[in-house]
Amino acid sequence: MTLRHLLDIESLKPAQLIELLDTAETLRELSERGSRKLPLLRGKTVVNLFFEASTRTRTTFELAASRLSADVVNLDVASSSASKGESLLDTMATLEAMHCDLFVVRHQASGAARFFAEHAAPHVSILNAGDGRNSHPTQALLDMLTIRQHKHDFSELKVLIVGDVLHSRVARSDFQALNLLRTGEVRVCGPMTLMPPNLTDFGISYFPKLSDAISDVDVVIMLRLQRERMKGAFLPSEREYFHYYGLTAELLKRAKPDCIVMHPGPMNRGVEIASDVADGPQSVIRAQVSNGLAVRMAVMAKVLGAQVPQVSSRQAAL
Ligand code: CP
């Protein structure tokens, strides 16, 4: 499989998605065996271009590049010449002239990563680290890897996504990935004001009440309220939001006993999730972060053409 850019999940074929998950698993296993530094990207240069805030994605992309022995540049956008009005394309062309190979782009505008990809020099790859409400493909990959580590067979699963689906690039990318992996049932729950109009495109069922939505599910993915993307009043108050849509230990008892709880982060504790659930035994939120490192190593290795040994295919289990 060749892959030059990773801009979204919908452009992937199921076999490509599974190959990326398998590669991430291999790299995770190699890292855990003590091979902290692999020479797969020696001589390559990776640039992190984050026009929007990030803790997890930016740090794991930086660590992933470093673990693969690439040179890494973290452009501080606020103090770069972008702040003096230099355009996105001029910024990219300037960095290309320094023989950079890979740009990791986060931007508040939907479509920004594709815009970079359409104008990139032939030797350059683009990875989307989150663009507006549109797509967050590596988050979806790390979410699928985390689910697969705990549950194995997607066709048997009931997965529930709760909260601000309308503004969430994570939800959009997760829907696409769950669809590619032929997940048994995908449900959503949240205020109608925070639901997109096209849920049926993905065969998703909408539940207005969390107590009904969570009944008998295997996986719950809680979403952050994205205040920075809301223009106008979508909610009466955060206190009421937690009352109706916050995940509590009491509500979690209605899910399957081995249900896992996920959140892409950053979390608003007491708004979308209670602290005892976020830190409780069913939470896999920290595992998601660890898997982010493995997934980002896998994606970088793939687009830059590094040869990573494959573990035995898990396709049969999917
Ligand atoms: N999940 C996620 O994208 O987190 P950051 O915004 O911290 O990168």
Side-chain angles (χ1 to χ4, degrees), residues 53-58 106 129 136 139 169-170 264-266 296:
S54 168
T55 297
R56 280 147 285 268
T57 312
R58 179 177 165 152
R106 171 170 286 194
H136 196 350
Q139 179 70 45
R169 56 196 176 206
V170 175
R296 286 162 185 138

Side-chain angles (χ1 to χ4, degrees), residues 30-278:
L30 285 172
S31 298
E32 282 176 4
R33 276 188 216 147
S35 317
R36 292 297 289 268
K37 208 90 164 160
L38 300 165
L40 296 174
L41 297 185
R42 189 169 284 152
K44 301 286 187 188
T45 303
V46 174
V47 182
N48 272 329
L49 271 176
F50 278 63
F51 295 86
E52 206 185 47
S54 168
T55 297
R56 280 147 285 268
T57 312
R58 179 177 165 152
T59 311
T60 48
F61 264 118
E62 181 179 352
L63 270 176
S66 166
R67 296 266 166 94
L68 295 175
S69 308
D71 295 319
V72 190
V73 177
N74 288 306
L75 190 75
D76 180 2
V77 172
S79 64
S80 77
S81 290
S83 67
K84 298 183 215 160
E86 189 163 50
S87 71
L88 289 182
L89 292 185
D90 283 338
T91 302
M92 182 168 71
T94 303
L95 293 160
E96 281 175 350
M98 300 172 200
H99 305 290
C100 297
D101 301 285
L102 174 61
F103 292 87
V104 179
V105 180
R106 171 170 286 194
H107 202 283
Q108 59 278 11
S110 296
R114 184 165 296 281
F115 181 71
F116 271 91
E118 282 167 358
H119 295 89
H123 70 280
V124 166
S125 292
I126 305 294
L127 299 182
N128 186 358
D131 62 325
R133 295 186 200 177
N134 182 45
S135 190
H136 196 350
T138 55
Q139 179 70 45
L141 289 171
L142 75 87
D143 287 348
M144 297 309 114
L145 186 63
T146 308
I147 295 173
R148 194 173 77 164
Q149 285 164 353
H150 289 85
K151 300 291 175 191
H152 313 295
D153 187 354
F154 280 77
S155 70
E156 303 270 297
L157 295 183
K158 290 189 180 81
V159 177
L160 168 64
I161 301 185
V162 184
D164 183 1
V165 177
L166 180 67
H167 298 101
S168 176
R169 56 196 176 206
V170 175
R172 241 176 93 76
S173 293
D174 278 350
F175 291 150
Q176 290 163 355
L178 290 165
N179 192 34
L180 284 179
L181 295 173
R182 300 208 174 100
T183 304
E185 184 182 344
V186 181
R187 304 175 178 180
V188 291
C189 177
M192 270 310 283
T193 48
L194 294 177
M195 290 295 136
N198 63 337
L199 287 173
T200 48
D201 294 357
F202 297 102
I204 294 163
S205 336
Y206 171 68
F207 288 71
K209 285 180 72 176
L210 185 51
S211 55
D212 295 332
I214 202 167
S215 177
D216 211 28
V217 299
D218 302 277
V219 178
V220 186
I221 302 175
M222 302 305 295
L223 300 173
R224 182 174 67 85
L225 274 183
Q226 307 220 358
R227 288 288 191 195
E228 73 277 21
R229 296 192 216 288
M230 294 184 193
K231 291 193 181 72
F234 284 82
L235 300 166
S237 75
E238 289 184 352
R239 205 157 62 96
E240 271 178 302
Y241 181 85
F242 183 69
H243 179 71
Y244 288 104
Y245 304 108
L247 183 59
T248 60
E250 201 53 39
L251 275 169
L252 187 56
K253 286 184 192 154
R254 298 176 69 88
K256 290 212 179 115
D258 61 350
C259 173
I260 56 169
V261 175
M262 302 173 67
H263 193 302
M267 282 185 281
N268 295 307
R269 290 172 185 259
V271 177
E272 62 255 358
I273 189 165
S275 267
D276 58 344
V277 176

